[in-house]
Amino acid sequence: MGEIKKIGQIGVPAKNIERATAFYQEQLGLQLLFNTDTMAFFDCDGVRLLVSLPEKEEFANSSSVLYFHVEDIKQAFEEYKEKGIVFIDEPHVVAKVEQTETWMVFFKDTEDNMHALLSEVVVG
């Protein structure tokens, strides 16, 4: 049976591959695995992120929101702001389940895709 075990790759559309590659490599600090004229592959702790020029117009706006896990969201927020990432809000609590608060802050990449930093904090 061909059951799903894990997510092997996530695709994000780009309008300008050089600009997008620089954003994910230099500003977010993801490891570039390899790239071509139309694609760049990054490692995000074992999940491969493919940033690419869409093969067809129907794929041009098909990005999901990527939630990048960080340990300290307030520190990461400040560090990424210094790298030029423009956030659309401030770090804030989106949920509290028992003793765990889930914090998020949203930003857009250079290709107008919405993403977020995510942190889970045990309180109390």
Side-chain angles (χ1 to χ4, degrees), residues 41-54:
F41 294 84
F42 297 91
D43 176 61
C44 190
D45 195 29
V47 175
R48 193 167 58 206
L49 177 63
L50 162 63
V51 178
S52 67
L53 298 177

Side-chain angles (χ1 to χ4, degrees), residues 42-111:
F42 297 91
D43 176 61
C44 190
D45 195 29
V47 175
R48 193 167 58 206
L49 177 63
L50 162 63
V51 178
S52 67
L53 298 177
E55 286 186 47
K56 298 179 181 173
E57 186 59 36
E58 64 220 55
F59 299 123
N61 296 309
S62 61
S63 180
S64 296
V65 176
L66 302 182
Y67 295 84
F68 294 99
H69 186 269
V70 295
E71 290 299 317
D72 184 333
I73 196 165
K74 292 176 183 175
Q75 179 182 350
F77 174 72
E78 293 301 327
E79 289 174 3
Y80 284 123
K81 268 188 6 183
E82 287 176 18
K83 289 184 171 189
I85 293 178
V86 179
F87 290 89
I88 64 165
D89 57 4
E90 299 277 326
H92 59 283
V93 175
V94 295
K96 184 173 181 179
V97 179
E98 296 177 6
Q99 302 302 101
T100 303
E101 291 179 347
T102 301
W103 285 70
M104 290 183 194
V105 62
F106 291 86
F107 64 93
K108 287 192 174 185
D109 69 8
T110 54
E111 311 309 294

